[in-house]
Amino acid sequence: MTNHSNHSHSSHPHHHGGGGGSSSAGSLSTTETLSLLALSAACVAVLLNTFQDDGAPLSASIALSGIAFAASYAMIRWLGPTFLRADIKGVDMSKLHRREIPECMGAICAVVYLLVIMVFIPFPFYKDIVAATSGGGNRDVVLHVEHVQQGRFLHRFPHSKLASYLSAIIALQSIALLGIGDDLFDIRWRHKFFIPAFAAIPLLVIYFVDFGVTSIVIPIPLQPYLGELFDLGGLYYLYMTAIAIFSPNSINILAGINGIEVSQSIVIALLLVLNDCLYLFTPYPHPATDSHLFSLYFLLPFLGVSCALLAHNWYPARVFVGDTYCYFAGMVFVVVSVLGHFSKTLILLLLPQIFNFLYSAPQIFGLVPCPRHRLPKFNARTGLLEPSVTPWTPERQPRPPVRWALLLLHRLRLVRVTLDRETGLFAESTNLTILNLWLVWRGPLREDRLATEITAVQLLVGLFGLFVRHRLALLVFKEDNWGVAGGSPPP
Amino acid sequence: MTNHSNHSHSSHPHHHGGGGGSSSAGSLSTTETLSLLALSAACVAVLLNTFQDDGAPLSASIALSGIAFAASYAMIRWLGPTFLRADIKGVDMSKLHRREIPECMGAICAVVYLLVIMVFIPFPFYKDIVAATSGGGNRDVVLHVEHVQQGRFLHRFPHSKLASYLSAIIALQSIALLGIGDDLFDIRWRHKFFIPAFAAIPLLVIYFVDFGVTSIVIPIPLQPYLGELFDLGGLYYLYMTAIAIFSPNSINILAGINGIEVSQSIVIALLLVLNDCLYLFTPYPHPATDSHLFSLYFLLPFLGVSCALLAHNWYPARVFVGDTYCYFAGMVFVVVSVLGHFSKTLILLLLPQIFNFLYSAPQIFGLVPCPRHRLPKFNARTGLLEPSVTPWTPERQPRPPVRWALLLLHRLRLVRVTLDRETGLFAESTNLTILNLWLVWRGPLREDRLATEITAVQLLVGLFGLFVRHRLALLVFKEDNWGVAGGSPPP
């Protein structure tokens, strides 16, 4: 909803190919070319080495992530002029010189990411020993498939997990398709809110067909009443749908300044990687190892493409990421946490997004008027951002409960209300987004400073969340992460 | 390559929202609404009935295909104005009044199709009997999974086939994504020729990981030398890649007049359905039943969305289908035939496309100059189509071997060459596409008449191909369709 607010959309009539570009528009500098080539060469070397090592999918994943970074970095630069020519562009409204820059570059990241994730499939899943079938009906005859998973750090998956890996790819491809549609057609936010629900369909259908586990572990204090496990049944699918809708949208509404969509996604991904490492580098093999390897395989390439995008999208932005990126990032978090059975942890990491959503709710649901643009106001004189405001006319004043609530929030310094001196009527109130709130607290800030501070908040809240998760969970659950005790080979 | 030639592309500067539309632009007539609602209601009734019948995936597939038709038909109408507004539009050059109409509507069909295919997953694959797991590590414990496939017409698949179904979805989603990119950015044909290769990656990777069968059956006369089976190894992947590149591109280059892309695809799909039925309705259960059911499940919804598209794209077209549709259609044929192991049959059905490709080759590879537009020439006076020509200037004349070949083809009536009366130099020659060739043979034709006749040729050639396939194959193979003898439950 606020994502489109920092630029006019591609479908508006702009003159063609205008706005100039930076001097390097469309091509890489020599330094960039050499660095990317060196990185790619190193990654290819690591990748080739994993073949000799008979496996080591984690090394392969890291190497492919480096390649994903290099490929995205170069392609975002190369394809910028193409996007401009195809009228997929926007205007940065928080700059003195408003230039047209390419929009929807997250689509490039999504395509590179998907390609890398597909190329990666053989590394964890390859059946070493397939019976030399006759080409007839015996192609399912596999000898010694249980022997494939040997040793902890070989990290080959039981073959049965292939379906869940594929379902994750399908969900991510779906969100990329729908996100591109959203970017092209500028769908109204009331409709686009449900776009991720469609992308969640493959995830839910395959979960239903392939796993069907809908039980949750009950905290110890409640076990006498509900038993050790409680089968949520259909409610579990509703719960997964809710997460699948919330996560992509929550990234999408914490937007509006250069770099914030990508930097928050990178922080969340890093925290999820940290969480995964807590399970992988334990003194004893943790039963949830597989789930967290699965998570790493999806998160590492995501970090690769996101860092490449951030390099171009950070202040001053030379490209916009588009809704595609926000949805895609949110869906990456959904697939790893839902298929890895740690969706509760994801919720802890999304606390700033949840706060932003709740804080925005009065405007989203129409209690407070919602202007088309809610991004912070750019003060052309100082070059700094200030909180943007909703004006209240004497004819349109808040209803008494809203008025009362806004004044209370004003006292708590959670919003800034300006009253008309003479009449005492509401003149204006700051827009209800976390970015404006931060500006209410920390005064005018430059765009990159605001993005850095919000990203730091995201990191600190997330670290605290993980601390709570791993230290305090043991107080209410008998064992940590019981529900994901996977890894047992198929019977 | 010729697909874009019947309209200027969306990225060209058109005035906005212009060109008017038909009176019903963007909304359905009452008759249409009632018919679509009746169809949908009937299909939903059938679908609900299959739940009671404990299965019958084939009925469910037919019902979902009906719903896919209704949904595509309505959405193509509804979203037309949205596409126009987003500048995704083209101009029909073979009409007296050149109006702007929406382009790339095949993307709508692709999205509806993919959604339907995903919703369908539970019908053939649902594990009836899943152990009531504790939510712990036992989620792979399945009781009596072999009992799921009981009786021939219940048609539940062994669960192990889920991965191949998912890989087909991933390949189709990939081609949709890449096709939309092509439609948006108007990629040069030398580059776009390889787009399907990228979409084939998931198919090949999952084939490698999950099946890995690379043997082919040797015809009886050659068996003394090569043995009964011959393992192609890596060559088999090259062969699959070649088919995956050829099929989508071959649909894409037989294009240029209203309806031809969709009508040829519908004919090929119908012939594949007929081929499948030859295996399903045999007096004894055929070992390849599963492969051909798999094929039907993908082809029936494709026929649904294609018929809806044809209704809008047939002469006089109110929408264009875009490269997305052509690639998507070609990829549907690839996934069903590669995963069903009947890719040789597909080649028989693509004979007109193969002819068109070979016939076009001199222009594609630059032996004969290739103008940007090769579609038949619209004669505004008669309202009929005539063969379009490549002009030869006195400065640029064909080289001797090309000259000789063109004159030979002219004698064989496979091209029409016009020589300059006085100098004897080449003045012009007809463009090398099957559409122009047909016009050389059958004189000026109206656009719909040409499309109908080419579609009829496609149908007759395909029927002949299937006849050859099923009557004559037994002469050189011991058993029909040996290679796909699937259906044996996993060990």
Side-chain angles (χ1 to χ4, degrees):
Chain A
M1 184 193 119
T2 48
N3 186 49
H4 269 171
S5 57
N6 67 340
H7 52 81
S8 57
H9 194 262
S10 62
S11 61
H12 296 178
H14 300 307
H15 57 100
H16 280 70
S22 69
S23 55
S24 60
S27 60
L28 297 166
S29 72
T30 317
T31 326
E32 285 174 324
T33 309
L34 291 178
S35 316
L36 292 179
L37 280 177
L39 173 66
S40 305
C43 291
V44 169
V46 172
L47 205 58
L48 291 177
N49 213 37
T50 62
F51 280 118
Q52 296 180 345
D53 281 7
D54 182 37
L58 202 50
S59 317
S61 179
I62 293 169
L64 281 169
S65 305
I67 294 171
F69 172 85
S72 310
Y73 190 96
M75 286 185 69
I76 290 170
R77 180 68 57 79
W78 290 334
L79 293 180
T82 312
F83 275 60
L84 286 175
R85 239 177 289 126
D87 233 356
I88 303 173
K89 55 193 176 188
V91 174
D92 196 335
M93 293 169 70
S94 301
K95 299 287 180 297
L96 213 51
H97 304 290
R98 297 187 175 184
R99 313 194 279 112
E100 285 181 337
I101 58 178
E103 165 65 291
C104 192
M105 297 308 260
I108 296 176
C109 293
V111 170
V112 169
Y113 176 87
L114 287 168
L115 206 62
V116 162
I117 283 285
M118 287 169 193
V119 168
F120 178 67
I121 297 176
F123 290 88
F125 289 110
Y126 183 57
K127 275 176 182 173
D128 299 64
I129 311 144
V130 178
T133 67
S134 61
N138 304 323
R139 67 182 184 195
D140 289 319
V141 176
V142 178
L143 303 176
H144 310 299
V145 75
E146 315 82 47
H147 296 176
V148 171
Q149 198 186 30
Q150 332 152 317
R152 184 163 177 225
F153 288 104
L154 186 59
H155 293 325
R156 289 204 189 283
F157 277 134
H159 196 65
S160 60
K161 298 229 165 124
L162 180 58
S164 80
Y165 192 94
L166 298 184
S167 74
I169 293 180
I170 293 176
L172 292 173
Q173 273 190 330
S174 303
I175 200 78
L177 261 175
L178 296 169
I180 290 172
D182 179 18
D183 274 327
L184 287 178
F185 299 123
D186 209 0
I187 299 167
R188 259 180 296 172
W189 78 263
R190 267 165 223 274
H191 297 148
K192 71 204 235 182
F193 195 73
F194 294 98
I195 284 180
F198 283 95
I201 290 176
L203 206 62
L204 299 182
V205 166
I206 298 163
Y207 192 93
F208 172 71
V209 169
D210 210 41
F211 310 99
V213 178
T214 54
S215 304
I216 54 168
V217 181
I218 300 294
I220 291 175
L222 296 177
Q223 282 191 5
Y225 314 103
L226 295 169
E228 204 170 319
L229 286 162
F230 185 75
D231 191 358
L232 280 176
L235 288 179
Y236 195 79
Y237 290 91
L238 268 185
Y239 165 71
M240 289 193 287
T241 310
I243 290 189
I245 292 179
F246 181 75
S247 169
N249 278 304
S250 71
I251 307 283
N252 200 22
I253 65 174
L254 210 176
I257 59 172
N258 291 172
I260 193 71
E261 301 93 340
V262 188
S263 64
Q264 65 178 313
S265 303
I266 288 179
V267 166
I268 296 169
L270 282 175
L271 290 166
L272 286 173
V273 166
L274 173 63
N275 182 53
D276 293 332
C277 291
L278 292 178
Y279 289 85
L280 296 181
F281 302 114
T282 48
Y284 58 97
H286 193 282
T289 299
D290 272 359
S291 293
H292 290 282
L293 275 173
F294 180 95
S295 165
L296 279 184
Y297 297 160
F298 278 91
L299 289 171
L300 295 177
F302 176 74
L303 282 171
V305 299
S306 294
C307 290
L309 186 57
L310 187 62
H312 293 90
N313 182 239
W314 189 251
Y315 177 90
R318 274 136 298 152
V319 304
F320 286 128
V321 301
D323 290 354
T324 311
Y325 178 79
C326 303
Y327 287 145
F328 194 80
M331 207 48 145
V332 168
F333 306 146
V334 171
V335 297
V336 300
S337 63
V338 164
L339 293 177
H341 296 270
F342 52 91
S343 48
K344 279 175 294 184
T345 309
L346 176 63
I347 291 172
L348 282 176
L349 300 182
L350 289 178
L351 284 178
Q353 281 72 23
I354 293 171
F355 174 80
N356 188 49
F357 175 74
L358 294 176
Y359 184 62
S360 292
Q363 283 195 308
I364 291 179
F365 296 111
L367 293 174
V368 172
C370 186
R372 183 162 159 72
H373 300 315
R374 300 198 304 164
L375 77 162
K377 202 179 93 195
F378 176 67
N379 185 328
R381 203 171 41 75
T382 60
L384 302 179
L385 295 182
E386 298 168 359
S388 65
V389 295
T390 308
W392 297 91
T393 58
E395 297 77 43
R396 193 173 175 196
Q397 285 286 308
R399 294 183 175 194
V402 175
R403 180 187 165 86
W404 179 83
L406 280 175
L407 287 174
L408 178 68
L409 287 174
H410 178 73
R411 285 229 175 162
L412 298 170
R413 293 202 64 209
L414 284 170
V415 74
R416 187 190 288 156
V417 175
T418 314
L419 298 178
D420 189 286
R421 279 271 187 86
E422 298 169 11
T423 59
L425 293 175
F426 272 46
E428 54 184 37
S429 60
T430 54
N431 282 315
L432 302 172
T433 72
I434 200 172
L435 296 175
N436 285 312
L437 178 60
W438 196 258
L439 289 170
V440 167
W441 288 345
R442 306 252 315 136
L445 291 175
R446 209 172 74 158
E447 196 171 357
D448 51 347
R449 176 90 196 172
L450 177 59
T452 311
E453 292 188 5
I454 293 288
T455 308
V457 169
Q458 177 94 46
L459 183 64
L460 293 175
V461 171
L463 285 173
F464 180 72
L466 282 188
F467 176 78
V468 170
R469 165 79 188 77
H470 288 276
R471 291 278 98 186
L472 306 186
L474 288 175
L475 299 182
V476 289
F477 290 110
K478 198 162 59 183
E479 251 181 287
D480 197 11
N481 236 39
W482 172 290
V484 293
S488 60
Chain B
M1 185 194 127
T2 47
N3 187 49
H4 270 171
S5 58
N6 66 340
H7 52 82
S8 58
H9 193 262
S10 62
S11 60
H12 296 178
H14 299 308
H15 57 99
H16 279 71
S22 69
S23 56
S24 61
S27 60
L28 298 166
S29 71
T30 315
T31 325
E32 285 174 325
T33 309
L34 290 178
S35 316
L36 293 179
L37 280 178
L39 174 66
S40 306
C43 291
V44 169
V46 171
L47 204 58
L48 291 178
N49 213 38
T50 62
F51 280 117
Q52 295 180 345
D53 280 6
D54 183 38
L58 201 50
S59 316
S61 180
I62 293 169
L64 281 169
S65 304
I67 294 171
F69 172 85
S72 310
Y73 190 96
M75 286 185 70
I76 290 170
R77 180 70 56 77
W78 290 335
L79 292 180
T82 312
F83 275 59
L84 286 175
R85 240 177 289 127
D87 233 356
I88 303 173
K89 55 193 176 186
V91 174
D92 197 334
M93 293 169 68
S94 300
K95 300 287 180 297
L96 213 52
H97 304 289
R98 297 187 175 184
R99 312 194 279 112
E100 285 182 334
I101 58 178
E103 165 65 294
C104 192
M105 297 307 260
I108 296 177
C109 293
V111 169
V112 169
Y113 176 86
L114 287 167
L115 205 62
V116 162
I117 282 286
M118 287 169 193
V119 169
F120 177 67
I121 297 176
F123 290 89
F125 289 109
Y126 182 57
K127 278 175 178 174
D128 298 65
I129 312 145
V130 178
T133 67
S134 61
N138 304 324
R139 67 182 185 195
D140 290 318
V141 176
V142 179
L143 303 177
H144 309 301
V145 76
E146 315 82 46
H147 296 177
V148 171
Q149 198 186 30
Q150 332 154 315
R152 185 162 177 226
F153 288 103
L154 186 58
H155 294 326
R156 290 206 187 279
F157 277 135
H159 196 65
S160 59
K161 298 229 166 121
L162 180 58
S164 78
Y165 192 95
L166 298 183
S167 75
I169 293 179
I170 293 176
L172 292 173
Q173 273 191 330
S174 302
I175 199 78
L177 262 174
L178 295 169
I180 290 171
D182 179 18
D183 274 327
L184 289 177
F185 300 123
D186 209 0
I187 299 167
R188 259 179 297 172
W189 78 264
R190 267 165 222 275
H191 297 147
K192 71 204 235 182
F193 194 72
F194 295 98
I195 284 180
F198 284 94
I201 290 175
L203 205 63
L204 299 182
V205 166
I206 298 163
Y207 193 93
F208 172 71
V209 170
D210 211 41
F211 310 101
V213 178
T214 54
S215 306
I216 53 167
V217 181
I218 301 293
I220 291 173
L222 297 177
Q223 282 191 5
Y225 314 104
L226 295 168
E228 203 171 317
L229 286 161
F230 185 75
D231 190 357
L232 280 177
L235 288 180
Y236 195 80
Y237 290 91
L238 269 185
Y239 164 72
M240 289 192 287
T241 310
I243 290 188
I245 292 179
F246 181 74
S247 168
N249 278 304
S250 71
I251 308 283
N252 200 22
I253 65 173
L254 210 178
I257 60 172
N258 291 172
I260 193 71
E261 300 93 341
V262 189
S263 64
Q264 65 179 311
S265 303
I266 288 179
V267 166
I268 296 169
L270 281 175
L271 290 166
L272 286 173
V273 167
L274 172 63
N275 183 52
D276 293 331
C277 292
L278 292 177
Y279 289 85
L280 296 182
F281 302 113
T282 48
Y284 57 96
H286 193 282
T289 298
D290 271 358
S291 292
H292 290 282
L293 274 173
F294 181 94
S295 164
L296 279 184
Y297 296 161
F298 277 91
L299 289 171
L300 295 177
F302 176 74
L303 282 170
V305 299
S306 293
C307 290
L309 186 56
L310 187 62
H312 294 90
N313 182 239
W314 188 252
Y315 178 90
R318 275 135 296 153
V319 305
F320 285 128
V321 300
D323 289 356
T324 311
Y325 178 80
C326 302
Y327 287 145
F328 194 80
M331 208 47 144
V332 169
F333 307 147
V334 170
V335 296
V336 300
S337 63
V338 164
L339 293 178
H341 296 269
F342 52 91
S343 47
K344 279 175 293 183
T345 308
L346 175 63
I347 291 172
L348 281 177
L349 300 183
L350 289 178
L351 285 179
Q353 281 73 24
I354 293 172
F355 174 80
N356 188 48
F357 176 74
L358 294 177
Y359 185 63
S360 292
Q363 284 195 308
I364 292 179
F365 296 110
L367 294 174
V368 172
C370 186
R372 184 163 158 73
H373 300 315
R374 300 198 304 165
L375 76 162
K377 203 179 92 195
F378 176 67
N379 186 327
R381 202 170 42 75
T382 60
L384 302 178
L385 294 182
E386 298 168 0
S388 65
V389 295
T390 307
W392 295 91
T393 58
E395 296 77 43
R396 191 169 177 199
Q397 286 286 308
R399 293 181 176 197
V402 174
R403 180 188 165 85
W404 179 83
L406 280 175
L407 287 174
L408 178 69
L409 287 175
H410 178 74
R411 285 228 176 160
L412 297 170
R413 292 202 66 210
L414 285 170
V415 74
R416 187 190 290 157
V417 176
T418 314
L419 298 178
D420 189 285
R421 281 271 185 85
E422 297 169 12
T423 59
L425 293 174
F426 272 46
E428 55 185 36
S429 61
T430 54
N431 282 315
L432 302 171
T433 71
I434 200 172
L435 295 176
N436 286 312
L437 178 61
W438 196 258
L439 288 171
V440 167
W441 288 345
R442 306 251 316 133
L445 290 174
R446 210 174 73 159
E447 196 171 357
D448 52 346
R449 174 91 196 170
L450 177 59
T452 309
E453 292 188 8
I454 293 289
T455 307
V457 168
Q458 178 93 48
L459 183 64
L460 293 174
V461 171
L463 285 174
F464 180 71
L466 282 189
F467 175 78
V468 169
R469 165 80 188 78
H470 287 277
R471 293 277 98 187
L472 306 186
L474 289 175
L475 300 182
V476 289
F477 290 110
K478 197 162 59 182
E479 252 181 286
D480 197 10
N481 238 39
W482 173 290
V484 293
S488 60

